[in-house]
Amino acid sequence: MTSLPRPLDLLRSATLVDGSRVDVELTGATVTAVVAAGSGAGSTSARTLDLEGFLLLPAPADPHSHLDKAGSWDAIRPPAGDLPSAISCWRTYAADMTVADVVARARQQALAMLANGTTAVRCHVDVLQGDEPLRGVAALLQVRDELVGLLDIELVALCGQDTPDRDIEAALDLGVDTVGGAPHLALDPLAELHRLLDIAERRGVDVDLHTDENLDGAVTLGAFAERVAGWRQNVAASHCVRLGTLPATERDALIAEAVA
Ligand SMILES: [Zn+2]
């Protein structure tokens, strides 16, 4: 019979991001003390890991992932390396993908992230078209449940302009945490922006929008910032690629408005 290894009691001589060197005392999975290197309590029988020369970081949190699309390259085979063709190929593939398929790929990716130390992930999940728009949501909810206690997965309902309000509401009802979308891709970006924010406001949930993820075209960041000023729930504007192609004065004013 194989006995499990005892948990570590001491991490010795680790370097922190500020350059200091410390010993870290552990009780089970809990850090009980961080003291100057060489002064940590550790008996000769303690399990000690010598981290001399290693940087010790908190577990990383991934703020933006798409686990429903993980590992899908071989299936969707986009002909070029650009975003529009990748989205087009993904939509063709997603039209009839199964919950089991999404679970298998998302689980594999989530476990890979966990194995590399990540313990928290914000995951955008497509609210799909067709008769079963919540297949991706169901899959990610399953993976989240499987990994509870190991990996915190926060789900964002990624909606398009064709996603009906009822499907977004249904995703939230099932346990999705946050309203998402990509207003800059809509025919009327500002109308789509306010539609999604209306839902988030009505439900009192967080918002994380793919915002102006284009090199030209719509700029919605200013209207987004203005609308959510004073909101109590968390709001994120992801990507904001368009900022990089704006004239400097316009860009700086927009950034100032967004962070105010
Ligand atoms: Zn994204």
Side-chain angles (χ1 to χ4, degrees):
M1 181 175 170
T2 305
S3 59
L4 292 172
R6 287 186 55 208
L8 292 167
D9 296 322
L10 185 69
L11 307 177
R12 183 160 49 209
S13 297
T15 302
L16 302 183
V17 288
D18 64 0
S20 62
R21 290 177 56 247
V22 297
D23 289 348
V24 179
E25 298 174 7
L26 305 170
T27 300
T30 303
V31 172
T32 49
V34 179
V35 297
S39 62
S43 70
T44 53
S45 62
R47 276 184 54 84
T48 297
L49 181 65
D50 187 357
L51 293 182
E52 181 70 43
F54 286 89
L55 187 63
L56 183 63
L57 299 169
D62 186 327
H64 192 117
S65 70
H66 292 260
L67 294 178
D68 55 345
K69 299 183 175 78
S72 63
W73 177 271
D74 287 340
I76 71 172
R77 285 283 169 195
D82 63 309
L83 183 58
S85 66
I87 291 174
S88 174
C89 291
W90 165 255
R91 285 185 175 155
T92 299
Y93 175 73
D96 57 5
M97 71 181 178
T98 64
V99 172
D101 169 38
V102 181
V103 166
R105 291 185 290 98
R107 181 196 290 129
Q108 183 177 32
Q109 180 61 31
L111 290 174
M113 297 168 92
L114 183 62
N116 283 282
T118 299
T119 56
V121 177
R122 172 174 281 189
C123 171
H124 297 254
V125 55
D126 282 23
V127 178
L128 301 164
Q129 300 296 309
D131 294 336
E132 298 177 275
L134 300 179
R135 283 169 285 139
V137 167
L140 266 295
L141 288 168
Q142 179 180 327
V143 173
R144 180 166 78 176
D145 286 347
E146 289 177 5
L147 298 178
V148 70
L150 296 171
L151 182 65
D152 293 330
I153 300 178
E154 186 179 66
L155 295 177
V156 184
L158 181 53
C159 311
Q161 65 177 347
D162 299 328
T163 308
D165 288 10
R166 66 174 182 277
D167 290 350
I168 305 172
E169 300 264 11
L172 295 171
D173 289 342
L174 286 173
V176 167
D177 307 283
T178 301
V179 170
H184 61 283
L185 296 177
L187 290 175
D188 186 340
L190 290 179
E192 175 67 354
L193 170 74
H194 288 292
R195 180 180 79 102
L196 297 172
L197 294 177
D198 285 346
I199 295 171
E201 191 168 35
R202 186 164 69 240
R203 297 290 297 248
V205 298
D206 295 346
V207 181
D208 186 345
L209 300 179
H210 287 62
T211 302
D212 306 341
E213 191 183 3
N214 264 333
L215 298 180
D216 52 25
V219 179
T220 65
L221 180 59
F224 187 6
E226 184 178 356
R227 170 72 190 274
V228 301
W231 279 27
R232 300 186 69 174
Q233 59 264 52
N234 294 316
V235 175
S238 291
H239 295 295
C240 300
V241 176
R242 186 74 170 86
L243 283 174
T245 59
L246 291 176
T249 51
E250 187 178 345
R251 177 201 62 208
D252 293 348
L254 197 50
I255 292 173
E257 183 182 356
V259 301

